Amino acid sequence: MDAHTRKRATGRRAIAEVRFTPVLVADPPLLNVQGVHQPYTPRLIVEVVTEDGVSGLGETYGDSAYRELAGPYAALLTGHDIADLNGLFTLMNTVEVDGSRVDDSVDVGGLRGARTADKLRLSVVSAFEVACLDALGKTLGVPVHTLLGGKVRDSVEYSAYLFYRWAEHPGGAGEKDDWGAALDPAGIVAQARRFAREHGFASFKLKGGVLPPEQEVAAVRALAAAFPGRPLRLDPNGAWSTATSLRVAASLADVLEYLEDPASGTRAMAEVAAGTSVPLATNMCVTTFGEIREAFLTGAVQVVLSDHHYWGGLRNTRELAAVCRAFGVGLSMHSNTHLGISLAAMTHVAATVPDLRHSCDSHYPWQSEDVITARHVFRDGRLPVSDAPGLGVELDRAALERLHRRWLADDGTLRERDDAAAMRRAPGHARWRTPALPRW
């Protein structure tokens, strides 16, 4: 079928217009193994509009590598049927940037793991796939979870995401909040109590790799004392050697639900897994289908934290869930600094996965800004699964314009996510460099 015939056959489901808008979103001074990121984070908001005027929304990372790929890709989508989701991947394989197809010379993506060219493509396609599903759901009058096969739960459980943090960014940059600093066990417990009080979270994950392991063990112990019997996780982002990982696992074996990426790389994770009964989770060494074989056959991970951006969308996330189920590997979901569009998409796909035995991660309670008209509200640590057509969210165009103007006004220093940038601006840290791993 030629393009003209296809366009005529698909009728009002054909894409008439594609918009993508880069924004800068306020991000508080949350510490990680690499340091502290900038006070604003780039995101890319995608809209596809059908010939019938139905608009679908998507969202992904907003760094230049993603924007530069999204531009020529979007140009290919005019006339594309929003129901032709497989065709989105076929089109991406034809995309050329600066006269040549995207190659594999892509640098690492910090806490996102290795940012290969393939994962870059998938992260861009994911936003357009979600937008097409949103538009298709609105066109057919059904929610996205119906298009994915139907929900198996009416709400999705999320976990409190705890961070060591400063009271503010260096020099008072960025937006202010009332959280204050959290740099010791008491600060982490106070943070957890507020999350539990305001959002009802019943499980807690601490971002580690920031302080010496003994101090992070003390923080987890303090959480266990404050919330007896509650699921606890610790994620140092590959900061530890295998020996340190095994030592920490032994000291926390009675309280951890799982230990996430204690060591860096599949081989190191397999060595740790062989020496502990604590389940190991990852969102770093298994982020593509090609990485599954080694990790699963060596027993390196017992829980995969999926991310529909990394994996290429919601349908690929369901395929990942099926593979995990076949190998007896648990599944949960990873979070980076996402807005309400991505959280809605994440909730829809999570609602369709049968064996979601672990609560999902979300940065969302840390985010003070959004581009949707009504913020998501956690109740008892859960989000309801919308039954409205599409994703069930609407774009706040005034908010989108405001955050886009911030992006336009930036001189370029904030348009690339840098997880160490703010650390270099802190007093006494001008020569800060991202630590080599393992750090301890």
Side-chain angles (χ1 to χ4, degrees), residues 344-356:
M346 182 177 174
T347 301
H348 274 274
V349 71
T352 71
V353 174
D355 299 320
L356 195 68

Side-chain angles (χ1 to χ4, degrees), residues 160-193:
Y161 209 156
L162 311 178
F163 284 83
Y164 293 104
R165 58 160 290 164
W166 293 335
E168 62 180 13
H169 278 280
E175 309 302 309
K176 305 298 183 289
D177 63 36
D178 62 353
W179 282 90
L183 297 168
D184 56 20
I188 293 299
V189 169
Q191 193 179 103
R193 289 192 188 281

Side-chain angles (χ1 to χ4, degrees), residues 58-61 73 85 88-89 118-133 144 148 287 289 306-321 331 333 342 345-346 348-350 352-353 391:
E59 173 192 341
T60 191
Y61 303 106
Y73 181 61
L85 301 173
L88 295 175
F89 296 88
D118 280 343
K119 189 157 59 173
L120 179 67
R121 293 186 190 95
L122 290 172
S123 295
V124 173
V125 171
S126 71
F128 288 89
E129 187 225 45
V130 168
C132 285
L133 284 167
V144 164
L148 298 174
T287 59
F289 285 101
S306 66
D307 185 312
H308 70 270
H309 307 94
Y310 293 175
W311 290 89
L314 307 188
R315 296 179 313 131
N316 275 6
T317 300
R318 282 187 47 81
E319 289 187 16
L320 168 65
L331 183 80
M333 295 192 179
S342 279
M346 182 177 174
H348 274 274
V349 71
T352 71
V353 174
L391 290 174

Side-chain angles (χ1 to χ4, degrees), residues 20-26 40-46 59-63 67 339 369-371 395-397 399-408 410 414-415:
F20 60 97
T21 308
V23 297
L24 285 175
V25 182
Y40 300 96
T41 289
R43 297 294 285 180
L44 192 65
I45 307 303
V46 167
E59 173 192 341
T60 191
Y61 303 106
D63 311 66
R67 299 192 311 271
L339 296 173
E369 300 177 321
D370 209 335
V371 294
L395 190 62
D396 183 334
R397 295 200 176 275
L400 179 69
E401 177 61 23
R402 177 173 58 83
L403 300 182
H404 180 54
R405 286 199 303 269
R406 181 186 288 158
W407 184 89
L408 291 172
D410 177 59
L414 299 174
R415 294 182 182 182

